[in-house]
Amino acid sequence: MGKDGLYNLARAAYRQYVDEVVTKGKPYRRFTEDFLNGHTYSICTCFQGRNEHKKNLGIIKGILRNCQGFTEELWRKGSFEKDDFMAMQDFYDATDVPLHNTPQPPAPGDSAVQTTFECYLNKEQMSPIAECANEAHLFYTHVSADDMYSLLHCRTNFHLYANRINLIAKLFDCLSYHRLVCHKWQSVLHANKLILSCKTGEAISPSSYSSALSKLNKREDQAAEYIGMMVKRVKEMGRTDGNENK
């Protein structure tokens, strides 16, 4: 209850998730049902307090049921603080539940979709890419060098939620320009469902990346310039490694 009532309820859900799902292997759906059923009633005797608890429980219910992927991604990092909760709430507020989950057909004439970035960057080179992604807030959660390695090497069942699609497109466009990833990076992202929309939970379409990048390139943007600088730094790291190996 009180000012931090919603956060405290989310913290309780986090602790129960770690205990039941992570430690004991309970299915996520069962955990959600048990948590909601176990917090149905408030100990508050006034109607204002009961209404507040009902509202807070409804928000947590929406987060747990409609944002499972994002929630588990956040909770499996080993901690859950106030800033994490704010990111969770922002994500939920911007998310629309998809009405159906119909797979998109391949684009005409694109029968052989490329499924890898042809990326040969090592984990050391992933550190500045992760730094760049976090500084420019490309994704809804903080990412590590290992996350970027998983992304660029198309790890199975790995995905991130987009926060700024135009700057994500800029990052990959710069990587492609310096020949660090393939030219058809939009199709690879979509085919592997590596980056999902926070609004629909679906993989972002190649046309969305192209449109966002086109609009971004028509104006000056400090974040875009920063991304270009960092990708150039990654490219130079590769050249240095090559010279040392000779």
Side-chain angles (χ1 to χ4, degrees), residues 2 60 64 67 79 82 84 98 120 125 130 189-190 201-202 229 235:
I60 297 300
L64 293 178
C67 307
S79 64
K82 193 69 173 286
D84 299 316
Y120 299 99
Q125 290 171 292
L189 284 172
H190 185 259
E202 299 294 327
M229 177 190 71
K235 177 70 173 181

Side-chain angles (χ1 to χ4, degrees), residues 49-184:
R50 292 197 298 270
N51 283 342
E52 181 184 355
H53 176 74
K54 184 175 181 180
K55 176 183 176 182
N56 289 342
L57 188 63
I59 294 173
I60 297 300
K61 178 180 178 180
I63 290 173
L64 293 178
R65 290 186 173 175
N66 301 332
C67 307
Q68 177 181 346
F70 181 79
T71 298
E72 291 203 85
E73 180 180 326
L74 199 62
W75 282 355
R76 286 184 178 272
K77 289 183 177 291
S79 64
F80 184 63
E81 305 301 332
K82 193 69 173 286
D83 290 343
D84 299 316
F85 170 70
M86 295 302 295
M88 172 184 285
Q89 189 173 15
D90 289 343
F91 178 83
Y92 173 64
D93 288 341
T95 301
D96 291 326
V97 182
L99 297 177
H100 49 73
N101 190 24
T102 304
Q104 295 184 356
D110 194 21
S111 57
V113 177
Q114 188 166 346
T115 57
T116 70
F117 290 114
E118 298 177 353
C119 174
Y120 299 99
L121 298 177
N122 57 42
K123 288 195 174 182
E124 182 181 358
Q125 290 171 292
M126 297 296 169
S127 293
I129 297 178
E131 178 184 344
C132 171
N134 292 324
E135 186 69 22
H137 304 289
L138 301 190
F139 307 104
Y140 260 96
T141 56
H142 185 279
V143 295
S144 64
D146 286 338
D147 290 330
M148 290 297 95
Y149 189 89
S150 296
L151 176 66
L152 293 177
H153 289 80
C154 302
R155 195 186 82 194
T156 303
N157 296 326
F158 177 84
H159 62 265
L160 295 169
Y161 285 91
N163 184 40
R164 304 185 67 181
I165 295 177
N166 57 349
L167 293 182
I168 293 173
K170 184 65 177 180
L171 172 63
F172 276 91
D173 185 58
C174 290
L175 289 170
S176 175
Y177 175 80
H178 288 289
R179 299 183 180 179
L180 299 176
V181 300
C182 65
H183 179 65
K184 294 183 178 181

Side-chain angles (χ1 to χ4, degrees), residues 121-122 124-125 128-129 174-175 177-180 227-245:
L121 298 177
N122 57 42
E124 182 181 358
Q125 290 171 292
I129 297 178
C174 290
L175 289 170
Y177 175 80
H178 288 289
R179 299 183 180 179
L180 299 176
I227 290 172
M229 177 190 71
M230 293 297 283
V231 173
K232 185 177 180 181
R233 174 180 162 189
V234 173
K235 177 70 173 181
E236 291 171 350
M237 288 173 65
R239 290 172 179 169
T240 302
D241 292 343
N243 291 335
E244 290 177 350
N245 291 332

Side-chain angles (χ1 to χ4, degrees), residues 203-220:
I204 298 170
S205 67
S207 61
S208 295
Y209 289 115
S210 299
S211 176
L213 181 62
S214 177
K215 292 178 181 178
L216 180 66
N217 287 337
K218 291 179 180 178
R219 58 183 174 84
E220 293 184 3

